[in-house]
Structures are given as C-alpha cells and as structure tokens.
Amino acid sequence: MSTKGILCADIGGTNSRFGFFEADHTGNLSVVETKWFRTGETASFGHLIRLLEAGGFRLKPVDADIVVIAVAGPVERGVYSAPPLIPWDVDITNARTDYGFKRSILINDFVAQAYATRTVVGQSAREILPGHIIPEGTVAVIGAGTGLGKAMLVPDSDGRYIAIPSEGAHASFPFVSLQESRFQEFLIQELGEDSITANSVVSGKGLTFIHQFLAGEKLEPKDVMARCTLNCETLVWASRFYGRACRNFALETLSLGGVYIAGVSRQKPPSSLP
C-alpha cells in the first residue's frame, strides 16, 4: 500500500514551521522534511503558503493528502482563527479553491501539543519533578514562547483522549508579594493595561519586562537569555512565575495524568524551573 503525504504547519507569533510527514499503512509517521519562516516577515497566510511553494519544499500543498494547520490562537469551526500575536488571520473555509488543499483542518497549536504527549515525543519527555501518573487522569499541557499556551487532554470512555484548548493565558496573573506588586505596577505603566495577564508575564515579552524591571535595561528575550547566567535574578524570577503558572494550571485541571511543559527555551534546560 502507498504512503500518505501529510503537510503540517505550526503558525506561531515568531516562527511558522512546516513539516512533511509520511504515514505508512500501519499509521507510523516519519519526518521527510521541515522548513521555517519568520512569521513577522510574511504579509498573510496566503503569502506564507506561496513562500513554501517557491522555496523548493518537497511536498507541494496541492499534493498533500491532508494539510493540518496549528495556529497560536482560538479556532472557530475548524477553519478560521484571528491569532492575537499575529497581524493577519488564517481562513481555510475555501481551502481547496484558495490554496489547492485536498483535505485540511485548522486546530489550536496547544491542541497539537496535547496530542503530541501521546506520541514518542511525549514518551521521551524530560522529567522535571517525579510523580505517579494515573493513566485515566487529565493531562495538562503548558508552554511559554512568544506567548503562553495551555491545553488539556481528557480521556474518553473508549480509552482515547480528547484535546481541549484553553485561553487561560489571558486570565489575570497572581502576584504574591510586595516586590511582585511593584513589578505589577511597573507592567501596568508599561503596557497601559488595568489587568496584567499571564501572557504578559510568562512569555518572551515577560522575560523582557522582568529584566527591564530588575536590571534597568530593555532587551529582546534572546538577548536576555544570552546575557543571563542560570542563577541570575531575572531567570530566578522568570522560573518562579513559570512554576507558579504550571502549579495553578495543574490545580485547575486536576492533572492526575501529568503536566507537560512545552516550548522551553533551548538556551536553558527545563531543570532550571522550580
């Protein structure tokens, strides 16, 4: 039996990643090729697809048996999203006509992350804190990058799982000390907002703000990571906030199936988190 060609895309606030996967008749997947683009350097989703087609990618979108697009934002009807950190929307309502897709689906990026915990990727996850996983328990998935993402994986009655997206990153973040309250006031002034969300604290821009508050210099997240040692005050604060977000999400979801942290910066290991 012939293999199936699957085109996957992860459209994020900073990068847009494409992957060409092949699935054999048993359902086993193998990666054939990947390609990255800077999201901010593209004018639209259609522009991104044209760049992929012109860039020599081995699987043309029109030749894919199915196209699966994961986007960093809420998804409506499986075909539309207006991501909060991307200046353009994604609409595949008329995907066959507009882009030549034979079959396609649009999902939230952390729905994809949640399902990934059931694959070899999840099986090879690095353990941060030991614990006893209850197989039928809810799995919580959280990850900070350009923004903060959350999702849950809930078992159904057939022994499978249903991924449930969350926009909890846009809920207010809890500050718990006088010094943190001063940081909150600093963020209110910097952002011009009355309420500070987790997305403004546990994210790339959050790292920028933490370092600006503590060190008095405003740097891009990658420059903060390059400058800071593992135990510098900026990363101690960032780790504490990240750990608090993970703890709260675990409690909110009763994640007896475990908590998976996705999107940890490559410059620092996950073990730097409390």
Side-chain angles (χ1 to χ4, degrees), residues 254-268:
L254 189 61
S255 55
L256 299 178
V259 178
Y260 287 79
I261 302 175
V264 175
S265 172
R266 294 179 181 179
Q267 288 91 339
K268 300 295 180 184

Side-chain angles (χ1 to χ4, degrees), residues 14-84:
T14 300
N15 295 304
S16 292
R17 297 169 283 263
F18 289 85
F20 170 16
F21 292 81
E22 285 187 341
D24 63 22
H25 67 281
T26 65
N28 290 323
L29 292 173
S30 58
V31 182
V32 179
E33 185 181 6
T34 61
K35 197 170 186 65
W36 291 42
F37 298 97
R38 299 285 291 182
T39 305
E41 296 175 0
T42 58
S44 65
F45 177 68
H47 182 206
L48 194 59
I49 296 299
R50 291 192 296 273
L51 287 175
L52 183 69
E53 292 173 330
F57 198 66
R58 288 174 58 184
L59 180 63
K60 299 297 182 183
V62 296
D63 295 329
D65 291 289
I66 188 169
V67 179
V68 182
I69 304 159
V71 63
V75 174
E76 301 176 23
R77 307 180 309 279
V79 294
Y80 179 78
S81 178

Side-chain angles (χ1 to χ4, degrees), residues 66-140:
I66 188 169
V67 179
V68 182
I69 304 159
V71 63
V75 174
E76 301 176 23
R77 307 180 309 279
V79 294
Y80 179 78
S81 178
L85 300 178
I86 300 174
W88 35 260
D89 60 2
V90 179
D91 190 345
I92 60 168
T93 304
N94 300 307
R96 182 180 288 271
T97 301
D98 295 343
Y99 310 113
F101 300 165
K102 297 174 185 175
R103 295 174 60 202
S104 58
I105 186 171
L106 182 67
I107 61 174
N108 174 264
D109 60 341
F110 266 76
V111 165
Q113 293 278 15
Y115 282 126
T117 66
R118 303 299 94 183
T119 69
V120 293
V121 175
Q123 294 167 8
S124 61
R126 185 176 186 177
E127 185 178 87
I128 298 174
L129 293 175
H132 176 66
I133 288 179
I134 297 176
E136 64 273 16
T138 297
V139 176

Side-chain angles (χ1 to χ4, degrees), residues 175-252:
F175 297 94
V176 298
S177 69
L178 179 59
Q179 194 176 25
E180 288 186 11
S181 294
R182 291 177 181 142
F183 176 55
Q184 181 181 19
E185 290 299 320
F186 165 79
L187 286 175
I188 288 172
Q189 292 180 9
E190 284 290 311
L191 296 170
E193 299 174 356
D194 295 330
S195 178
I196 301 304
T197 69
N199 209 42
S200 296
V201 179
V202 186
S203 63
K205 67 178 179 179
L207 190 63
T208 290
F209 287 133
I210 292 169
H211 189 72
Q212 183 182 356
F213 175 74
L214 295 173
E217 57 179 357
K218 190 169 186 177
L219 301 174
E220 291 296 316
K222 61 181 179 62
D223 297 323
V224 175
M225 296 298 292
R227 180 166 300 190
C228 286
T229 61
L230 187 60
N231 296 315
C232 78
E233 191 176 15
T234 295
L235 291 189
V236 169
W237 274 55
S239 296
R240 183 169 72 241
F241 288 149
Y242 205 159
R244 187 178 304 161
C246 293
R247 175 183 181 274
N248 288 349
F249 195 46
L251 292 171
E252 291 159 0

